[in-house]
């Protein structure tokens, strides 16, 4: 970095504080964005990247690099050019006071309006307290008028009180001040809200996680993005926002044709035009819709040479929806000729190791080199270890973070990158993988079973005692 370089503060949303792993997803999102824009450490130096805190401090000699990150990030709330920061009020104001005048010059003009925004983290300030804080900056050489709506310059003052809501210190841990540069893309979360989306289902993925997945997959203009367990297409809605052409498949004809029961309690029946295509239209992305087809993922149907740039998917876990594939328990099922046209194929269980073997195999075969597979992998929390994850010699696992779902279950967001084309003997390994569905129900029901057994034992004991008493009284 040369002496033109400046410090920037990246301020992240911290709404999943309870499950820090989701926060990890955010950090991994930034790593993916840096890699997508080929922002190397000589262009952007990360000075502070505290693990569990909602900010990074970085250094760069190009503001446009920071703007590029903001143009894609879902986890980033805003970024500022950092003019001062310190751990106490005196040091903070002293460092702002000695800031070279040249730093203010472009904004210090009678014709240039400004405003100061006061942000606090983990503490609430009243409006009066905020105004008092703003007044402490009266020494700043800002001659323009204050304008609250669309000012020429927005300055941010942030008081950071740590992340422990139960032990908030009296004074802030760190104070920051700087010039606002850009907001992240969090408005997209609102724009794609499931509340207002045309076609949703019980397992539709929320927009924040869908957008994060699209960033993890590095979806960019012109990419072909596929979801082989597409459902209502939430992941593809997010991919299309970043310019991906979308392709989906799902075994459930009724779901794809919106003939299942509506998900909204207020909705009595589904309207005839609900579909993934309708969702694309709703967000002005119809031209990015390639197709969505009914197909069983366990039965390969794509030509070997078919290539996609990214696969993002959330396969069924077998808890809220069935994990099924076309098949029959009979060894040699025969369909009579006259029934063939109207025959609906029977289905059999499609267990998790089998699903992931197919996903990984599919990715190894059909991803472009350097293409990414981003998928959720459900785990039983107390029995998880990394060696349970599927592996393939052509794919490298580059990110793995946890979102806790309940005391028993969580899911891990896995990102794989394809390194090379598969060779003849390359195979998927799922050797240590546990069947989440089986474990989930067995272990969840264990305490219930124990309780029932105890109750049955107690009932039998009471009955025996009662019968003994009856016998004794008749003998007398
Ligand atoms: C967790 S849901 C995906 C939800 C989707 N991400 C959304 O936003 O609506 C899993 C989907 O996998 C589908 N599925 C289950 N078994 C399948 C199979 N053998 N082949 C293809 N799709 C299957 C289900 O019908 C379901 O829609």
């Amino acid at each position: 970095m040369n002496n033109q370089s400046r410090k920037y503060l990246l301020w992240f949303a911290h709404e999943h504080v309870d499950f820090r792993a989701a926060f990890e997803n955010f950090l991994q999102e930034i790593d993916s964005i840096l890699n997508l824009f080929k922002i190397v450490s000589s262009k952007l130096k990360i000075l502070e990247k505290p693990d569990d805190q909602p900010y990074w401090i970085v250094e760069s000699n190009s503001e446009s690099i920071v703007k590029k990150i903001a143009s894609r990030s879902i986890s980033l709330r805003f970024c500022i050019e950092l003019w001062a920061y310190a751990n106490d009020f005196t040091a903070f104001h002293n460092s702002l006071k000695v800031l070279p005048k040249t730093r203010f010059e472009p904004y210090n003009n009678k014709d240039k309006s400004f405003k100061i925004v006061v942000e606090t983290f983990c503490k609430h300030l009243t409006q009066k307290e905020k105004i008092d804080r703003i007044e402490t900056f009266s020494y700043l050489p800002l001659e323009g008028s204050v304008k609250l709506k669309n000012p020429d310059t927005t300055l941010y003052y942030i008081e950071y009180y740590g992340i422990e809501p139960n032990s908030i210190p009296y004074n802030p841990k760190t104070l920051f001040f700087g010039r606002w540069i850009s907001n992240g893309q969090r408005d997209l979360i609102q724009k794609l809200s499931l509340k207002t989306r045309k076609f949703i289902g019980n397992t539709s993925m929320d927009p924040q996680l869908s957008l994060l997945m699209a960033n993890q997959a590095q979806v960019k203009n012109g990419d072909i993005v596929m979801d082989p367990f597409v459902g209502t297409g939430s992941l593809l809605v997010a991919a299309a926002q970043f310019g991906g052409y979308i392709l989906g498949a799902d075994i459930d004809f009724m779901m794809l044709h919106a003939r299942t029961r509506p998900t909204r309690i207020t909705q009595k029946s589904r309207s005839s035009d609900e579909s993934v295509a309708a969702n694309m239209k709703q967000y002005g992305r119809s031209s990015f819709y390639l197709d969505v087809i009914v197909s069983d993922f366990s039965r390969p149907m794509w030509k070997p040479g078919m290539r996609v740039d990214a696969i993002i998917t959330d396969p069924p876990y077998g808890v809220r929806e069935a994990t099924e594939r076309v098949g029959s328990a009979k060894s040699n099922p025969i369909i009579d000729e006259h029934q063939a046209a109207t025959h609906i194929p029977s289905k059999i269980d499609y267990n998790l190791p089998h699903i992931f073997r197919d996903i990984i195999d599919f990715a190894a075969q059909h991803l472009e080199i350097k293409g990414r597979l981003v998928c959720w992998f459900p785990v039983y929390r107390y029995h998880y270890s990394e060696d349970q994850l599927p592996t393939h010699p052509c794919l490298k696992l580059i990110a793995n973070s946890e979102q806790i779902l309940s005391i028993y279950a969580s899911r891990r967001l896995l990102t794989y990158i394809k390194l090379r084309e598969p060779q003849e003997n390359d195979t998927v390994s799922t050797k240590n993988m546990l069947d989440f569905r089986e474990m989930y129900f067995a272990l969840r029901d264990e305490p219930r079973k124990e309780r029932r057994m105890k109750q049955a034992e107690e009932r039998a004991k009471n009955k025996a005692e009662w019968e003994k008493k009856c016998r004794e009284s008749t003998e007398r």
Side-chain angles (χ1 to χ4, degrees):
M1 297 284 149
N2 56 31
N3 48 11
Q4 288 297 305
S5 66
R6 303 234 157 133
K7 284 183 183 157
Y8 298 91
L9 177 76
L10 309 185
W11 198 266
F12 298 101
H14 200 51
E15 59 188 43
H16 292 298
V17 213
D18 294 346
F19 28 108
R20 265 194 39 209
F23 187 58
E24 264 175 43
N25 287 343
F26 293 165
L27 302 185
Q28 291 179 4
E29 183 213 23
I30 299 296
D31 289 337
S32 289
I33 295 171
L34 295 180
N35 183 279
L36 172 69
F37 291 123
K38 300 188 175 44
I39 302 172
V40 289
S41 55
S42 59
K43 289 187 181 167
L44 184 103
K45 197 167 154 197
I46 298 168
L47 302 178
E48 285 183 36
K49 185 183 175 180
D51 272 351
D52 51 357
Q53 292 171 35
Y55 63 85
W56 284 13
I57 297 174
V58 299
E59 193 176 41
S60 176
N61 45 26
S62 161
E63 189 171 306
S64 66
I65 285 185
V66 180
K67 282 188 172 157
K68 261 191 190 166
I69 299 173
S71 75
R72 273 301 289 254
S73 176
I74 301 304
S75 51
L76 185 71
R77 281 190 55 217
F78 57 82
C79 47
I80 61 175
E81 184 192 308
L82 193 54
W83 286 357
Y85 67 110
N87 296 336
D88 64 75
F89 285 102
T90 318
F92 168 73
H93 282 287
N94 285 344
S95 69
L96 197 54
K97 279 176 190 160
V98 297
L99 201 71
K101 286 245 161 42
T102 49
R103 195 57 81 87
F104 292 98
E105 260 159 23
Y107 322 103
N108 181 18
N109 181 320
K110 279 206 174 75
D111 302 328
K112 293 226 160 160
S113 58
F114 75 96
K115 76 169 170 184
I116 298 178
V117 175
V118 178
E119 274 266 333
T120 49
F121 191 90
C122 220
K123 185 167 189 163
H124 176 75
L125 293 186
T126 63
Q127 200 53 26
K128 157 97 180 49
E129 285 169 324
K130 284 187 180 177
I131 291 168
D132 290 346
R133 299 293 207 272
I134 290 173
E135 279 174 2
T136 61
F137 295 103
S138 54
Y139 57 83
L140 289 181
L142 294 165
E143 292 173 13
S145 58
V146 173
K147 193 172 164 215
L148 297 182
K149 219 172 174 186
N150 299 326
D152 294 313
T153 308
T154 300
L155 299 166
Y156 262 75
Y157 166 62
I158 305 169
E159 287 185 3
Y160 176 63
Y161 288 85
I163 55 164
E164 292 298 333
N166 295 328
S167 62
I168 303 170
Y170 182 73
N171 284 319
K173 282 178 182 261
T174 321
L175 303 116
F176 302 93
F177 191 89
R179 179 177 63 87
W180 174 84
I181 290 176
S182 182
N183 285 343
Q185 297 304 307
R186 295 190 65 75
D187 286 354
L188 282 177
I189 299 172
Q190 204 49 40
K191 177 181 165 192
L192 304 183
S193 168
L194 294 179
K195 285 190 192 145
T196 50
R197 188 174 302 168
K198 176 107 192 149
F199 176 44
I200 59 162
N202 293 339
T203 54
S204 293
M205 183 68 69
D206 83 66
Q208 174 157 211
L209 291 175
S210 305
L211 289 158
L212 280 169
M213 286 175 81
N215 269 341
Q216 285 289 106
Q218 296 188 327
V219 175
K220 56 188 182 310
N221 268 336
D223 277 358
I224 296 181
V225 184
M226 176 164 193
D227 181 354
F229 298 92
V230 71
T232 58
S234 317
L235 307 182
L236 297 184
V237 159
Q241 285 299 311
F242 297 133
Y245 286 91
I246 59 137
L247 190 58
D250 198 291
I251 198 171
D252 193 344
F253 174 95
M254 300 295 268
M255 160 66 77
L256 290 187
H257 291 82
R259 300 211 191 140
T260 49
R261 251 199 292 153
T263 302
R264 297 186 171 96
I265 345 167
T266 50
Q267 197 179 344
K268 288 226 165 60
S269 59
R270 290 207 182 254
S271 54
S272 57
D273 58 345
E274 285 183 41
S275 65
V276 176
N279 285 347
M280 291 296 148
K281 189 168 171 215
Q282 178 180 358
Y283 301 120
R285 297 264 129 185
S286 288
S287 57
F288 291 87
Y289 178 83
L290 293 180
D291 210 349
V292 163
I293 54 169
V294 178
S295 130
D296 173 5
F297 189 60
S298 72
R299 305 196 158 227
M301 58 160 283
W302 304 93
K303 285 187 175 171
M306 192 276 273
R307 290 288 178 272
V308 296
D309 298 287
I311 300 166
I312 49 177
T313 197
D314 181 27
Y317 314 154
V319 174
R320 283 195 296 170
E321 75 287 74
T323 45
E324 289 175 330
R325 64 193 171 93
V326 171
S328 170
K330 292 182 196 158
S331 61
N332 192 13
I334 295 168
I335 304 148
D336 286 341
E337 192 69 34
H338 70 281
Q339 290 175 329
T342 53
H343 173 72
I344 297 174
S346 63
K347 293 194 189 125
I348 52 172
D349 185 41
Y350 191 18
N351 65 31
L352 212 71
H354 192 165
I355 292 179
F356 273 89
R357 233 176 6 252
D358 288 347
I359 294 178
I360 296 287
D361 235 348
F362 183 84
Q365 172 75 46
H366 293 288
L367 272 178
E368 292 282 7
I369 303 284
K370 291 202 179 152
R372 289 181 171 205
L373 161 68
V374 179
C375 60
W376 288 101
F377 181 83
V379 295
Y380 198 83
R381 286 175 64 198
Y382 304 109
H383 292 74
Y384 167 75
S385 63
E386 201 168 319
D387 65 355
Q388 292 162 10
L389 303 178
T391 58
H392 191 285
C394 299
L395 300 176
K396 184 178 172 200
L397 182 70
I398 53 167
N400 169 6
S401 46
E402 184 189 31
Q403 185 197 12
I404 294 169
L405 301 173
S406 72
I407 47 168
Y408 305 111
S410 69
R411 56 183 177 183
R412 309 204 66 101
L413 185 62
L414 308 180
T415 306
Y416 292 87
I417 183 166
K418 178 165 163 179
L419 304 173
R420 61 166 171 81
E421 291 299 340
Q423 290 158 7
E424 214 178 309
N425 294 328
D426 288 341
T427 49
V428 185
S429 166
T430 53
K431 74 171 188 294
N432 296 319
M433 196 185 291
L434 304 170
D435 190 322
F436 168 76
R437 183 178 179 275
E438 246 173 43
M439 287 190 73
Y440 180 84
F441 287 113
L443 294 165
R444 190 200 63 171
D445 292 343
E446 203 169 70
R448 214 181 292 167
K449 260 192 220 153
E450 264 171 28
R451 205 170 52 235
R452 278 207 209 109
M453 268 163 66
K454 253 194 204 145
Q455 283 168 349
E457 268 168 27
E458 216 138 275
R459 270 200 304 275
K461 203 172 125 200
N462 289 345
K463 194 176 163 214
E465 270 170 20
W466 171 251
E467 283 170 353
K468 192 177 160 207
K469 268 187 198 158
C470 288
R471 268 199 312 277
E472 282 169 2
S473 68
T474 41
E475 276 165 15
R476 259 187 264 136

